Amino acid sequence: MGKIIALANQKGGVGKTTSSINLAASLAVLEYRTLLVDADPQANTTSGIGFDPRTIKASIYECIINDINPHEAIQKTSTPNLDLLPAHIDLVGAEIEMINLDDREYKMKAVLNQIKEEYDFIIIDCSPSLGLITINALSAADSVIIPVQCEYFALEGLGKLLNTIKIVQNRLNTALQIEGILLTMYDVRLRLSNQVVEEVKTHFQDLVFDTIIQRNTRLSEAPSYGVSVIMHDANCKGAINYLNLAREIIQKNGMLTLEEEAKQETA
């Protein structure tokens, strides 16, 4: 049974798409069958992993609105064990089209339930808003990762997001948990970055992942090549950070493979 993890933050530019792509790719490289779901009408995840959204015939939109089988929309990526359920600009209109539908908050859940058994992890990249598509993602997810950048307005809007998560937990998805808060865009040279890390850890304590994602040129370059950072440069800081995050999530969920367990015992 696959674990569904949504990455959500209504604040843009926090590294949400970068984290979705690279966490999914890292889980896949560690030999976990992984599906990356692009639930953002901007379709940056789709293009960032090597597909042209304009040429996509079937996407998450068709699955939600036209009830097509998700198997018809899923694409194999160049990374072994990693599939993509792409997005398309049409997703912009989905929120309006869904307003009059029955169980409109559960449309994505119904889609993902059809394929959940086929994957170890399903990672959903949410749009930078708290609209109906994001509510759908949170209703479908087992847990949510909140990326927070190590910059001045880091905690701005976080209260609003946590409030939305609480509403979803109370009304739509009582099983939804916070997987963790992920600190991104960390610059070791900046005093501000270190202050933000301290502030977030003081506020949220155990909810904060041990792994921190550092600023890295390779991370910024990778999407322009249509690949994850691990396929672009497996030895760079960005790739190592996301592999560490993947391992932290695997361990937290008690999903270590025998090979990973053996490595940990010998480490």
Side-chain angles (χ1 to χ4, degrees):
M1 176 72 81
K3 174 152 194 179
I4 302 177
I5 303 175
L7 278 86
N9 193 331
Q10 80 276 20
K11 198 169 185 294
V14 297
K16 187 167 44 57
T17 297
T18 300
S19 295
S20 299
I21 292 172
N22 292 304
L23 170 59
S26 297
L27 289 165
V29 165
L30 293 170
E31 300 187 352
Y32 291 85
R33 294 162 305 156
T34 307
L35 176 67
L36 179 57
V37 179
D38 192 349
D40 183 351
Q42 295 173 76
N44 290 337
T45 293
T46 300
S47 55
I49 205 77
F51 294 88
D52 184 346
R54 293 166 300 183
T55 63
I56 294 289
K57 297 283 187 287
S59 68
I60 184 78
Y61 169 82
E62 282 77 16
C63 296
I64 290 172
I65 301 299
N66 302 331
D67 290 328
I68 76 156
N69 189 308
H71 290 103
E72 292 176 40
I74 288 171
Q75 306 279 340
K76 288 233 169 289
T77 73
S78 56
T79 306
N81 300 315
L82 180 62
D83 292 346
L84 171 75
L85 183 48
H88 188 275
I89 191 66
D90 286 352
L91 196 57
V92 168
E95 302 215 346
I96 297 160
E97 291 177 63
M98 287 161 73
I99 282 171
N100 295 320
L101 297 179
D102 292 333
D103 295 328
R104 61 181 182 224
E105 297 91 356
Y106 296 109
K107 290 294 174 187
M108 195 181 296
K109 184 182 176 78
V111 171
L112 298 182
N113 277 349
Q114 296 175 58
I115 48 177
K116 197 173 180 181
E117 299 288 339
E118 297 165 36
Y119 295 97
D120 298 309
F121 287 99
I122 296 176
I123 305 296
I124 310 173
D125 179 29
C126 299
S127 63
S129 76
L130 294 177
L132 194 48
I133 298 291
T134 299
I135 297 297
N136 258 263
L138 294 176
S139 298
D142 298 306
S143 65
V144 56
I145 290 174
I146 304 167
V148 173
Q149 84 280 37
C150 295
E151 288 173 5
Y152 185 63
F153 292 115
L155 297 177
E156 192 186 63
L158 202 52
K160 195 175 176 186
L161 175 62
L162 290 168
N163 196 39
T164 301
I165 290 168
K166 199 168 279 183
I167 291 166
V168 171
Q169 285 170 328
N170 289 337
R171 299 185 190 170
L172 300 167
N173 183 2
T174 52
L176 181 67
Q177 295 181 321
I178 295 175
E179 189 75 30
I181 292 171
L182 176 65
L183 290 159
T184 63
M185 303 180 193
Y186 175 75
D187 189 334
V188 71
R189 298 163 302 177
L190 297 180
R191 184 191 296 169
L192 178 63
S193 276
N194 293 306
Q195 284 173 343
V196 170
V197 170
E198 287 308 309
E199 193 176 351
V200 173
K201 284 189 170 176
T202 302
H203 267 75
F204 299 104
Q205 297 171 357
D206 293 347
L207 277 181
V208 186
F209 284 110
D210 292 335
T211 305
I212 296 175
I213 309 301
Q214 293 167 277
R215 280 197 181 277
N216 181 245
T217 313
R218 291 287 197 240
L219 263 182
S220 312
E221 286 172 359
S224 64
Y225 293 95
V227 292
S228 63
V229 71
I230 205 160
M231 300 302 272
H232 182 50
D233 180 356
N235 296 314
C236 74
K237 216 173 264 178
I240 291 162
N241 287 167
Y242 279 108
L243 274 169
N244 286 338
L245 174 65
R247 288 195 181 100
E248 194 174 338
I249 289 167
I250 289 161
Q251 197 164 10
K252 190 175 175 183
N253 286 282
M255 292 173 75
L256 286 178
T257 60
L258 293 174
E259 190 183 345
E260 285 287 313
E261 279 179 10
K263 271 186 199 165
Q264 288 213 341
E265 280 166 19
T266 54

